[in-house]
């Protein structure tokens, strides 16, 4: 018996399949390769299903951004939990987890860069803003536990997030010249300045 051209699945499974296929296409082909046709082919479904389940290609990419961002959030939370109760160790774990598996992954780097390149689109920009706000909120809470003054936390969280993004980008662009271990060292050095500030404010 011949195999059907397109697979049948329950609605939630189809949505998830399209999201996973979008992440793979973005990682492999970049933002310019993320067409409805390419994603449907990757997922083994009819192109019409993209419009049925999502608000077009931009809606699908936005949902994929949210899903991948949630995976990153889970990995960061696990790193913090494994760090124990020391507030500084928890901050270091949160930040440096971005330079270790499962986050430090070539496919994830490529997918994330594709998300950035598409963030001029409003629906994707909204997902980006919500996702990054959640990261900054986490950082602010962790920095507060270290004693960093409230007036310094927002900008510190922005600076640390930007540092991680910059190191991520360098890892993606120059993997032969720059390692995740080196990225971790640089991030830890930057965090020391905030820890020093926290110590001074508590005196």
């Amino acid at each position: 018996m011949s195999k059907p051209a397109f697979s049948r699945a329950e609605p939630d499974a189809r949505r998830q399949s399209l999201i996973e296929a979008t992440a793979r296409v973005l990682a492999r082909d970049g933002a310019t390769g993320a067409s409805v046709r390419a994603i449907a082919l990757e997922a083994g479904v009819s192109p019409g299903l993209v419009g049925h389940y999502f608000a077009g290609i931009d809606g699908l990419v936005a949902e994929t951004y949210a899903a991948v961002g949630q995976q990153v959030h889970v990995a960061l939370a696990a790193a913090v939990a494994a760090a124990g109760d020391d507030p500084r160790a928890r901050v270091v774990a949160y930040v440096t987890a971005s330079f270790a598996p499962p986050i430090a992954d070539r496919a994830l780097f490529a997918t994330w860069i594709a998300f950035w390149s598409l963030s001029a689109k409003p629906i994707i920009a909204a997902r980006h803003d919500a996702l990054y706000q959640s990261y900054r909120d986490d950082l602010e809470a962790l920095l507060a536990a270290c004693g960093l003054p409230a007036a310094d936390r927002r900008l510190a969280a922005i600076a640390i997030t930007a540092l991680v993004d910059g190191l991520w980008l360098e890892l993606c662009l120059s993997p032969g010249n720059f390692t995740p271990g080196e990225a971790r060292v640089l991030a830890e050095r930057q965090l020391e300045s905030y820890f020093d500030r926290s110590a001074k404010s508590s005196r």
Side-chain angles (χ1 to χ4, degrees):
M1 181 180 293
S2 62
K3 185 179 179 180
F6 301 110
S7 61
R8 295 179 181 275
E10 293 300 318
D12 287 348
R14 282 180 177 160
R15 285 179 59 87
Q16 185 60 32
S17 175
L18 284 166
I19 287 171
E20 292 171 356
T22 302
R24 291 194 299 272
V25 169
L26 287 169
R28 185 184 65 230
D29 303 328
T32 58
S35 67
V36 168
R37 189 174 195 79
I39 292 167
L41 183 63
E42 180 73 22
V45 301
S46 165
L49 283 180
V50 172
H52 180 73
Y53 288 109
F54 300 94
I57 186 65
D58 291 350
L60 175 51
V61 171
E63 289 299 315
T64 304
Y65 199 175
V68 174
Q70 178 59 24
Q71 293 171 10
V72 171
H73 177 78
V74 168
L76 294 175
V80 170
D85 296 329
D86 181 71
R88 293 190 179 191
R90 289 166 67 83
V91 175
V92 171
Y94 186 90
V95 174
T96 60
S98 291
F99 312 118
I103 301 176
D105 176 81
R106 291 282 296 165
L108 180 57
F109 288 158
T111 304
W112 209 266
I113 288 173
F115 290 142
W116 286 345
S117 69
L118 292 167
S119 62
K121 298 177 181 292
I123 191 171
I124 299 171
R127 288 294 188 187
H128 172 85
D129 290 346
L131 181 61
Y132 271 66
Q133 186 60 56
S134 72
Y135 294 150
R136 291 192 295 269
D137 288 345
D138 287 345
L139 274 169
E140 286 194 49
L142 290 167
L143 291 167
C146 290
L148 190 70
D152 294 337
R153 290 174 205 155
R154 185 182 70 86
L155 289 181
I158 291 171
I160 293 168
T161 302
L163 172 68
V164 171
D165 281 349
L167 293 173
W168 253 36
L169 184 59
E170 190 65 24
L171 284 169
C172 188
L173 295 175
S174 302
N177 300 316
F178 185 54
T179 68
E182 289 171 328
R184 179 188 177 99
V185 169
L186 290 173
E188 289 178 339
R189 286 176 182 171
Q190 185 63 37
L191 290 174
E192 283 298 325
S193 67
Y194 295 109
F195 296 152
D196 290 344
R197 196 177 310 169
S198 298
K200 289 177 182 177
S201 68
S202 63
R203 289 174 187 168

